Each structure stands twice: as structure tokens, then as C-alpha cells.
Amino acid sequence: MSIYKTPDIRENYTEYLYEKIRKANFNHEEIEYSHGLFRKLVSRQYMDNGRSSTKERILEQLLDTANKIDTSSVEGAISSAFIYHQIAEEWLYDFLELIRFFIDLKLYPERIQHRSSDGMKLGVLITEIESSINFENKENLIKYSRLVNQYRNSFAHDLLKKDSVEAIKKDFNKFMEHFNKMHEALEGTEEIPYGAREALLELIKNFNKWSDEFHDKHIFLLTETLEENDIQYLDEEKFEPEK
């Protein structure tokens, strides 16, 4: 357990050890993985997990566009559904990455090889999330995400099987109902502010705040590497961060 009450001091000490290793060119893949987790945890980079190919500004503009489309027409309803579906996909991508980060923290120093999620479509993301850990609102999130995907696929492949234009509009209204419930399960509501994402973020924050287990193991890896390579370093109790 940390001998310091101030987390910042321990973070500075960890960076000090890592820099010792890096400058001596002894940083290997295990250290890079471990320190990557450390930096992501203390900097809260895990709160933003968008795909590298996704342009955040375009995502916001498309959401605004979808909200303004006149969905009283068939073309407006279908266009809107396709945009909302893409947005739902990005939301679940972000959430899956958050789940994986929490799993990595809990398993450390053991590792799991996650399959790449960059090219995953909504249906695959749903399956990945369903087979992962338990979390708040999981049942509703999976249920309504599946319905969003089902109705979008119906628009994409089965329009000519609909009985009428009015049937298409009805299906769009159902799509939006499921989309909104999916969003509520993920992000919460005014009445119930803790959705699945916020509840998981809280677990990660509490893990960082109350558990020294990950930090202890990471520091042990760094100091063990320094000692194995005869690199001198200050003990934690003697370390003073630069001002």
C-alpha cells in the first residue's frame, strides 16, 4: 500500500522510475503495456474512447442533423434512422473499450488479448458487450441496442417487403423509441442519472482512489527492472518530486 496520502506524489514517483528505465533503454513491451494502463488511469483518458477513424466534430454535427431532419417523410425517417444507428454504434464502441479497460485493470498483471474492435459493427459490439462483465442496466442496454440494430437492418434490406409507406413510418417511430431507451440505459435519465456508462466510470474512479493494488504491482515491475539492470534509483520514502 502507498505510504503517501497524496496520490500525485506516487504518480510522480512512478513517472520517475519509468523515465529511469526509458533513458537506459530497458523499457520492454511488458513495461510499455503496464505504464500505458497507469497513464490512462491517472489521466482519465479512459473517459474518451472514440475510434481513431471517427471525427468527433462530424459525430456531433450528424447528431444535430438527425435531430433536425423532418421525419414526417419516408426519406427523412430513413435518413434519420441511418444516422442514429451510426451514432449508437459509436456509443457502444466507446462503452466496450471502457469495459475492456476495467477488465485489464482487474486482471493486471495477467493480460487478455482483446480482438480488435475498430471495424466492429453494431451487432458485433452488442455480442461482445453481452459476453463481458456484468454492469448496471446491462439487460436493458443489450435489449434495446438489439432492437435498434434490428429495425435499422429492416430499413436497409426489407423496405420493399413493407405493406405501405405508413408501415415504414410506424417502424421508424418504434426505432426511435428503442434508440431513446438504449440511450437511457447507457447514459441514464434526469430521474435516474446513473446509466451503465456512468456506473462503470464510477467503478474505475473508485478503483483508482481506494485500491493501491494496481499501482503497487506496476511500481514493483519498474523497480524490479531497475534492480535487474543495476540502475540506481531512490526509494519511494526518499523521493521528493521536483517543484
Side-chain angles (χ1 to χ4, degrees):
M1 181 173 290
S2 172
I3 59 174
Y4 291 110
K5 293 181 180 179
T6 307
D8 289 347
I9 297 176
R10 199 158 213 230
E11 290 167 21
N12 287 333
Y13 181 65
T14 306
E15 289 291 350
Y16 157 78
L17 295 174
Y18 174 76
E19 282 302 307
K20 282 272 186 183
I21 293 170
R22 188 187 64 80
K23 288 177 180 177
N25 291 319
F26 286 115
N27 49 323
H28 48 73
E29 197 273 338
E30 185 181 359
I31 286 176
E32 290 304 307
Y33 169 76
S34 181
H35 204 63
L37 284 180
F38 164 77
R39 283 183 170 168
K40 193 171 183 178
L41 179 62
V42 299
S43 67
R44 295 191 177 183
Q45 290 174 356
Y46 56 82
M47 297 184 74
D48 183 13
N49 296 298
R51 296 183 215 239
S52 58
S53 59
T54 298
K55 305 296 185 289
E56 191 64 32
R57 190 177 67 173
I58 294 297
L59 186 65
E60 292 172 0
Q61 288 176 348
L62 283 175
L63 181 57
D64 184 57
T65 298
N67 290 335
K68 291 177 180 176
I69 289 176
D70 179 7
T71 57
S72 62
S73 66
V74 172
E75 59 270 28
I78 294 173
S79 298
S80 184
F82 273 86
I83 294 173
Y84 282 127
H85 181 268
Q86 286 279 290
I87 290 166
E89 194 172 280
E90 285 303 309
W91 285 345
L92 289 201
Y93 174 89
D94 170 88
F95 190 61
L96 177 61
E97 291 303 297
L98 196 61
I99 288 171
R100 288 177 168 183
F101 178 62
F102 186 60
I103 289 171
D104 289 341
L105 289 175
K106 297 292 283 183
L107 286 180
Y108 182 83
E110 301 300 322
R111 294 174 62 173
I112 184 169
Q113 191 65 42
H114 303 292
R115 59 186 291 206
S116 173
S117 54
D118 271 355
M120 287 183 183
K121 302 303 182 185
L122 186 59
V124 181
L125 290 167
I126 293 167
T127 300
E128 287 286 316
I129 290 171
E130 185 178 32
S131 63
S132 71
I133 60 174
N134 289 324
F135 53 81
E136 194 82 20
N137 288 340
K138 181 173 183 176
E139 185 178 341
N140 281 342
L141 180 62
I142 298 300
K143 173 184 175 181
Y144 292 115
S145 297
R146 278 223 167 93
L147 286 167
V148 164
N149 201 43
Q150 175 186 318
Y151 274 91
R152 177 269 177 194
N153 290 341
S154 175
F155 291 137
H157 306 296
D158 297 327
L159 278 182
L160 296 182
K161 297 178 184 178
K162 306 294 182 186
D163 292 331
S164 65
V165 167
E166 288 307 311
I168 295 173
K169 292 180 181 178
K170 269 188 184 179
D171 280 354
F172 172 73
N173 290 335
K174 290 177 183 176
F175 169 88
M176 284 308 302
E177 180 184 339
H178 300 320
F179 178 85
N180 289 330
K181 287 183 177 178
M182 170 195 167
H183 184 255
E184 288 176 3
L186 186 63
E187 299 292 347
T189 63
E190 287 186 8
E191 294 76 23
I192 308 173
Y194 266 46
R197 188 173 186 276
E198 189 61 36
L200 187 53
L201 284 172
E202 196 65 21
L203 283 177
I204 295 172
K205 290 174 191 173
N206 286 334
F207 179 86
N208 186 34
K209 183 176 181 180
W210 300 112
S211 174
D212 286 318
E213 184 178 359
F214 169 77
H215 296 86
D216 287 343
K217 289 176 181 176
H218 179 52
I219 286 177
F220 176 77
L221 173 64
L222 298 177
T223 55
E224 183 181 49
T225 303
L226 290 167
E227 289 167 6
E228 285 176 352
N229 293 284
D230 297 321
I231 303 171
Q232 293 186 341
Y233 66 93
L234 292 173
D235 291 334
E236 191 169 357
E237 64 267 21
K238 294 179 181 178
F239 173 77
E240 291 291 337
E242 293 182 4
K243 297 182 180 179

